[in-house]
Amino acid sequence: MEKAKEKAREHLYLAALLHDIGKFYQRADSGSVSTSKYLIEYNKNESSFLPQSKGFYTHKHCLWTAQFIDDNNSVFKNLIGSDISDLTDKNNLLNLAACHHLQKEQLTMLGQIVKEADCLSSGMDRESELAFKDEQDEKNWDVLKKTRMTSILETVLSEKEMVKYHLPVSEVSLTKSYFPKESFTSNPDYGKLWLEFVKEFKFIQSNDYRVFSETFLNLLYKYAACIPSSTINFSDVSLYDHSKTTAALAICMYDFQQSCEVTDKPFLLIGADFSGIQNYLYQIVSKYAGKNLKGRSFFLRILSDAVVRYLLKELDLFQANIVYNSGGGFYIIAPNTTFVREKLQVATQMIEKKFFRSFGTMLFVAIESVPLSKDDLMHKDENHNLGTIWHDLFEKRDKKKACKFAGVIEQKYIKFFMPLMKGGDALRDEITGEEFTKKELSKNRDLTIKKDTNRQILLGEKLRETEIMIVSDRLLACWKGKFYIKPAYLGYYYYFIKENDLTESVDNVSIIRFNNANFNIPIKGNNNIYEFQFYGGNKYSGQTFDEMTENPNFSRLGVLRMDVDNLGSIFQSGIKAERAILSRFAALSRSFDYFFSGYLNTIWRETDKDRSLIIYSGGDDVFIVGSWDVCIELAKKIRNDFRKFTCANPAFSISGGIAIEPQKFPLMKAAEEAAQEEHHAKEHVIAAGVKQLDKNSISFMDFSLNWDTEFPAVESLKNTLVDLVSQQNEAKSLLSKIMIHAANAGIKEHQITNIKTYWTLTYDMSRMKERVKSDKSKLLIDNLIKEVCGNKSSIAGTYYHPLELWAFAARWAELEIRTKKE
């Protein structure tokens, strides 16, 4: 691309990111236009930046956008290389960013792109009467400053017009204080947040447009993800998501215009999904599994990151074009041009080749795309909107999975079908079971393992100490000898560094903090992009699985798997057609990534962290290994906090399964059994009036419990049994008797078929009641007899026979007593 066009393109991208920064600044001000403590006199000149409606100037936030650029004249002058105060230049950064609400004919081609991208991002026709309503005019100034953003998670599949939950006004934080709340004790302090934002903004020093803009995008995430982009029309999209989507669409529209192509679908939604992750991750056959598994899991994370970076580079796109990247899948919005389509095809084939070279047929990434029109982004057709586009992309992507490595097969047919396993004297990796050649043998350990396996072990070890990840498109000479990973030969090098080790100067790299949005990183160098990412489980105790589960009385390994129910259908139909805009989908995706990649670390730290390890957490699912009882507690806390995070919206639920196994049980098999338990949980149903409710359950020991009704009741019963047997030292044989009666009852389809059970249980329990002393024990036995013989559980909606529930509670209590026995 010509240098002049590339500069105009990058100029446009930054202007689009900045276009609504005035909404943040305006809320931080203590007055209106006339009484503002920030606006200089010239920027109070409404006719320069604002449109008129019915004789009044509207969209006054543009004045504060202009003021912000004025305030930081020196920063932008350093970047652009010229003064930005020449307002006669209509393509001046200030004009492009602050004048996007003027009439189309008043704007240059670049200005028109910013205006239309803003319109498409918000899904609103800026010429409509609703669009000319201004927040400051519609509401008095104090009300505007008190307005908080609503949570998109409350509005999904909801018919309610009124919302109850709002977000705190603060920088992004991995604490429960960042969750949506029903009420607050004080008004939001936009002023304080703004001052913190400005302080960090001045830290961005670069003379490179792309570097500056990408760092600024991350800073917007930190400070503007809790600020509503609009309070006139659905305040569930943040200023960050709106600005990011506007910038992405502006780049797409610019590239499409420059291509001079003609189509009614100028955009391309690219989607990808990794397959083979489970087999790759759990392909562990030895007792040394723990040394490799964490590094193997994180390797998959950076592999996805490398694929996205590779595509962005090949398609010449920006970070804002990434709609979502987490959980083994990603989505990118791109221009629908011949250049992009051809580049995407070549890049996809190259990625397939590199994957086959690196992993054989074990890992594959299905990359597909669907075109979309401006009308699709504007939800003008109820039967064809972003929800249906998402559905089409899912289907197309799944078909791609059914014909994996088609390009590789076509070009390397013989090599593709050659046997991968040699047998005989071939070396075999003691950890993964893979065969390999002597050339691939690692000499750094007392195990027979591949070099790749050893690097993944090192990665797992480094991850515990890593605070910062450096990504470079070249080997860094200044860090020769330092540990790095180069995923699938995609051209990116990932270095893992402690903050105190940042002594060398390095240029033109991406510097990424994990689970910490502090941009004050003590590194020397020029034109570096500063980012922060959430990652589930980068900190852990370093204990082996045996050490985590070690117990002198009873040791059992727990393997927990959980994911969100019906997430695919939520993306396809969860957002009403009239609200189906790209920024809203981006906000929804980001919310899940925040919880599972970020906040889940907080749950883990607060739940006996030395006895569990997050193997994987991201997207919408979780995989944790630890002591069996800690896994149950973690599952409960994850579910309860997810419920709070999603504003108790019944559209969202999460199901999980826990495999409970001996310490030496093969992890791959345990993972399969946990998956089976999770499958049972998702098939579990309870009655709800004339309807049935499925999923929203947890399953372990081959028994599924609904989170809302059955689990709390059975857990309470278990706790009572544990207390009576272990603490009060009464009815020691109660647990075994309950389980024996259940085993002999011949229960089929939740009905007792052995009628003798009723009178044998009554006789047995009545005699025990005579022996116990406490009233609590007597009452418990009475309830047991009453529920079993009455064939009616006290748990609403359950299909289980009461004896099934009592027997499961007894079994659970027995495990807990054995584990905690003095």
Side-chain angles (χ1 to χ4, degrees):
M1 186 178 291
E2 299 173 16
K3 283 189 176 181
K5 286 185 177 179
E6 181 59 28
K7 186 173 181 179
R9 190 170 177 265
E10 292 177 339
H11 190 66
L12 172 70
Y13 181 67
L14 178 57
L17 285 176
L18 286 165
H19 82 286
D20 269 353
I21 193 66
K23 291 187 173 181
F24 188 0
Y25 201 175
Q26 181 187 28
R27 284 173 169 79
D29 207 334
S30 59
S32 60
V33 175
S34 59
T35 60
S36 168
K37 69 176 182 179
Y38 293 126
L39 292 179
I40 61 175
E41 284 306 312
Y42 179 82
N43 288 332
K44 291 181 180 181
N45 183 6
E46 297 173 327
S47 62
S48 300
F49 305 105
L50 308 183
Q52 280 189 314
S53 176
K54 299 178 181 179
F56 296 96
Y57 288 107
T58 63
H59 300 88
K60 294 184 176 64
H61 64 271
C62 294
L63 302 178
W64 278 268
T65 294
Q67 186 63 53
F68 174 74
I69 296 173
D70 257 342
D71 289 347
N72 296 281
N73 193 346
S74 60
V75 175
F76 292 115
K77 185 176 180 180
N78 177 59
L79 172 67
I80 296 168
S82 60
D83 196 348
I84 63 166
S85 60
D86 180 12
L87 297 181
T88 60
D89 178 6
K90 295 297 183 182
N91 282 331
N92 179 296
L93 182 67
L94 192 150
N95 278 323
L96 285 182
C99 297
H100 60 280
H101 285 296
L102 293 180
Q103 296 298 314
K104 188 174 180 180
E105 56 271 15
Q106 296 175 268
L107 304 173
T108 63
M109 183 268 285
L110 293 181
Q112 290 174 16
I113 289 175
V114 175
K115 178 182 178 69
E116 189 169 11
D118 172 51
C119 173
L120 294 172
S121 176
S122 63
M124 186 183 294
D125 182 356
R126 293 305 191 193
E127 307 303 322
S128 70
E129 184 176 345
L130 177 62
F132 273 104
K133 291 183 177 182
D134 188 71
E135 292 170 313
Q136 187 175 335
D137 292 334
E138 291 296 310
K139 305 172 181 179
N140 66 56
W141 184 253
D142 287 339
V143 172
L144 176 64
K145 289 197 66 176
K146 294 174 184 176
T147 303
R148 296 178 183 271
M149 181 176 158
T150 60
S151 172
I152 190 171
L153 299 169
E154 186 178 7
T155 64
V156 169
L157 285 174
S158 174
E159 298 298 326
K160 297 185 300 181
E161 291 300 321
M162 297 294 293
V163 295
K164 295 193 301 182
Y165 291 85
H166 294 84
L167 293 176
V169 173
S170 72
E171 64 180 72
V172 66
S173 163
L174 296 182
T175 64
K176 206 171 289 183
S177 64
Y178 198 68
F179 277 25
K181 295 180 178 63
E182 289 189 73
S183 61
F184 293 84
T185 57
S186 61
N187 292 324
D189 193 344
Y190 286 105
K192 179 183 177 182
L193 190 66
W194 175 257
L195 292 176
E196 292 171 354
F197 164 77
V198 169
K199 187 188 304 181
E200 290 210 52
F201 175 79
K202 293 183 184 299
F203 162 76
I204 308 175
Q205 297 293 329
S206 174
N207 57 10
D208 182 284
Y209 263 107
R210 187 178 288 258
V211 169
F212 187 95
S213 299
E214 303 298 35
T215 300
F216 178 64
L217 178 65
N218 281 270
L219 195 64
L220 276 179
Y221 184 6
K222 178 177 180 178
Y223 287 104
C226 61
I227 299 172
S229 62
S230 171
T231 56
I232 294 295
N233 187 31
F234 307 125
S235 59
D236 59 348
V237 174
S238 75
L239 179 60
Y240 162 74
D241 290 301
H242 172 67
S243 301
K244 174 175 178 278
T245 308
T246 300
L249 294 174
I251 287 297
C252 293
M253 292 168 66
Y254 178 85
D255 288 354
F256 184 76
Q257 282 191 18
Q258 293 298 309
S259 74
C260 299
E261 296 176 31
V262 179
T263 176
D264 64 343
K265 295 187 175 182
F267 304 103
L268 199 66
L269 184 61
I270 302 168
D273 189 46
F274 285 74
S275 60
I277 286 178
Q278 307 299 330
N279 288 337
Y280 179 80
L281 189 57
Y282 312 130
Q283 186 196 18
I284 308 293
V285 297
S286 84
K287 64 180 180 179
Y288 301 105
K291 294 182 178 181
N292 178 255
L293 194 54
K294 189 60 194 175
R296 210 169 177 86
S297 168
F298 187 71
F299 176 80
L300 291 171
R301 163 68 179 259
I302 61 174
L303 177 64
S304 177
D305 184 87
V307 170
V308 170
R309 289 178 188 272
Y310 180 77
L311 284 176
L312 291 183
K313 184 177 181 180
E314 292 301 304
L315 304 182
D316 196 15
L317 298 174
F318 295 80
Q319 281 189 17
N321 291 93
I322 305 168
V323 179
Y324 174 69
N325 178 23
S326 187
F330 61 82
Y331 300 93
I332 295 171
I333 188 73
N336 185 17
T337 62
T338 301
F339 169 83
V340 166
R341 292 192 301 272
E342 290 178 351
K343 279 284 191 178
L344 179 62
Q345 183 178 3
V346 172
T348 300
Q349 290 173 350
M350 184 59 68
I351 290 167
E352 283 189 15
K353 289 178 185 177
K354 291 179 182 292
F355 268 51
F356 183 68
R357 174 187 172 188
S358 302
F359 316 111
T361 58
M362 184 171 292
L363 283 176
F364 178 74
V365 56
I367 302 174
E368 270 296 355
S369 63
V370 291
L372 57 157
S373 66
K374 292 179 181 178
D375 284 353
D376 294 331
L377 294 174
M378 292 289 289
H379 51 75
K380 287 189 175 182
D381 185 348
E382 198 171 298
N383 298 315
H384 198 265
N385 53 57
L386 275 177
T388 58
I389 293 288
W390 230 267
H391 175 268
D392 294 344
L393 183 56
F394 284 1
E395 284 196 338
K396 201 172 179 182
R397 191 188 61 192
D398 289 344
K399 286 180 181 177
K400 185 73 172 283
K401 287 184 183 179
C403 51
K404 298 176 183 176
F405 297 106
V408 176
I409 294 172
E410 186 178 345
Q411 295 179 18
K412 299 182 178 181
Y413 182 86
I414 295 176
K415 184 176 180 180
F416 188 86
F417 288 103
M418 286 178 64
L420 296 176
M421 303 293 281
K422 297 178 178 62
D425 296 330
L427 297 172
R428 186 180 293 275
D429 193 302
E430 288 185 43
I431 292 181
T432 68
E434 298 170 283
E435 287 187 349
F436 61 94
T437 64
K438 288 184 178 180
K439 185 180 178 181
E440 298 173 286
L441 177 65
S442 172
K443 299 179 181 179
N444 297 331
R445 296 183 185 268
D446 57 354
L447 301 171
T448 301
I449 56 175
K450 292 170 59 177
K451 290 178 181 178
D452 284 349
T453 302
N454 185 53
R455 293 188 76 79
Q456 288 169 354
I457 293 171
L458 285 170
L459 177 58
E461 292 172 349
K462 289 282 184 183
L463 197 58
R464 289 177 55 203
E465 305 170 345
T466 295
E467 296 166 308
I468 294 167
M469 182 170 73
I470 308 290
V471 184
S472 171
D473 59 2
R474 67 200 185 282
L475 276 171
L476 298 173
C478 63
W479 284 342
K480 187 177 180 180
K482 285 192 180 291
F483 176 75
Y484 68 87
I485 292 286
K486 185 182 179 183
Y489 307 99
L490 286 166
Y492 290 94
Y493 300 81
Y494 291 74
Y495 293 83
F496 304 89
I497 310 291
K498 284 184 179 180
E499 187 169 319
N500 293 336
D501 293 340
L502 292 172
T503 55
E504 298 90 349
S505 177
V506 61
D507 301 331
N508 302 307
V509 298
S510 292
I511 303 169
I512 303 166
R513 272 196 188 274
F514 288 130
N515 303 324
N516 184 339
N518 181 9
F519 283 78
N520 185 21
I521 301 174
I523 187 169
K524 300 174 184 177
N526 299 312
N527 292 330
N528 296 318
I529 297 172
Y530 291 83
E531 307 175 32
F532 68 93
Q533 292 181 6
F534 297 131
Y535 173 64
N538 70 308
K539 300 296 182 185
Y540 59 101
S541 65
Q543 291 183 314
T544 65
F545 294 155
D546 286 355
E547 290 169 336
M548 285 181 199
T549 58
E550 188 60 40
N551 186 294
N553 303 305
F554 183 74
S555 299
R556 284 294 184 270
L557 180 72
V559 177
L560 166 65
R561 298 179 69 162
M562 303 181 81
D563 70 21
V564 176
D565 299 321
N566 306 314
L567 190 60
S569 62
I570 286 172
F571 270 89
Q572 294 171 43
S573 58
I575 298 176
K576 290 181 178 181
E578 64 269 22
R579 299 187 190 179
I581 57 176
L582 190 61
S583 55
R584 196 163 271 119
F585 280 96
L588 181 61
S589 302
R590 180 178 56 77
S591 296
F592 285 118
D593 183 64
Y594 165 84
F595 185 89
F596 288 100
S597 296
Y599 177 75
L600 201 121
N601 292 286
T602 301
I603 298 176
W604 171 78
R605 279 196 305 271
E606 295 173 351
T607 313
D608 209 348
K609 60 184 176 63
D610 291 336
R611 298 175 63 218
S612 63
L613 170 65
I614 301 172
I615 301 299
Y616 174 78
S617 179
D620 74 311
D621 57 345
V622 178
F623 185 93
I624 295 175
V625 175
S627 182
W628 73 275
D629 51 332
V630 175
C631 284
I632 295 174
E633 187 64 21
L634 278 167
K636 184 174 75 169
K637 288 187 176 182
I638 291 168
R639 186 267 173 179
N640 289 343
D641 281 2
F642 183 68
R643 184 80 173 147
K644 293 172 185 174
F645 182 66
T646 56
C647 309
N649 186 339
F652 295 107
S653 62
I654 186 168
S655 294
I658 302 171
I660 300 175
E661 310 291 355
Q663 281 181 305
K664 308 298 182 185
F665 196 79
L667 187 65
M668 189 172 185
K669 183 66 176 174
E672 291 173 1
E673 294 193 4
Q676 278 296 315
E677 292 278 15
E678 185 182 18
H679 176 71
H680 296 327
K682 288 185 178 291
E683 289 192 328
H684 184 58
V685 296
I686 61 169
V690 295
K691 297 180 180 180
Q692 286 186 329
L693 298 178
D694 64 353
K695 304 179 181 178
N696 187 30
S697 301
I698 182 69
S699 179
F700 55 100
M701 297 190 294
D702 295 318
F703 203 87
S704 300
L705 298 166
N706 178 272
W707 279 120
D708 290 326
T709 58
E710 295 165 335
F711 181 85
V714 172
E715 183 185 36
S716 176
L717 177 58
K718 178 267 300 182
N719 290 338
T720 301
L721 291 170
V722 169
D723 179 60
L724 290 177
V725 175
S726 63
Q727 300 299 323
Q728 298 188 28
N729 203 28
E730 285 198 333
K732 290 185 177 180
S733 62
L734 177 61
L735 303 182
S736 60
K737 285 183 179 293
I738 292 173
M739 289 186 281
I740 290 170
H741 282 298
N744 294 333
I747 298 175
K748 294 181 180 178
E749 297 182 355
H750 309 305
Q751 298 294 321
I752 292 177
T753 60
N754 183 1
I755 305 303
K756 289 172 57 179
T757 299
Y758 292 111
W759 66 264
T760 55
L761 180 142
T762 302
Y763 175 77
D764 210 6
M765 292 297 108
S766 296
R767 291 198 59 186
M768 178 171 284
K769 180 183 175 182
E770 293 174 0
R771 294 195 299 271
V772 299
K773 298 178 180 178
S774 72
D775 292 338
K776 190 174 182 180
S777 298
K778 294 179 186 292
L779 180 61
L780 182 74
I781 292 171
D782 280 341
N783 288 338
L784 169 60
I785 296 171
K786 180 181 177 182
E787 288 190 14
V788 172
C789 295
N791 294 313
K792 185 174 178 58
S793 172
S794 59
I795 302 173
T798 185
Y799 287 108
Y800 286 120
H801 189 279
L803 186 53
E804 291 178 279
L805 296 167
W806 279 81
F808 180 77
R811 188 180 172 197
W812 185 1
E814 182 186 49
L815 287 182
E816 189 167 306
I817 291 168
R818 290 175 66 186
T819 301
K820 296 180 178 179
K821 187 177 180 181
E822 294 294 333

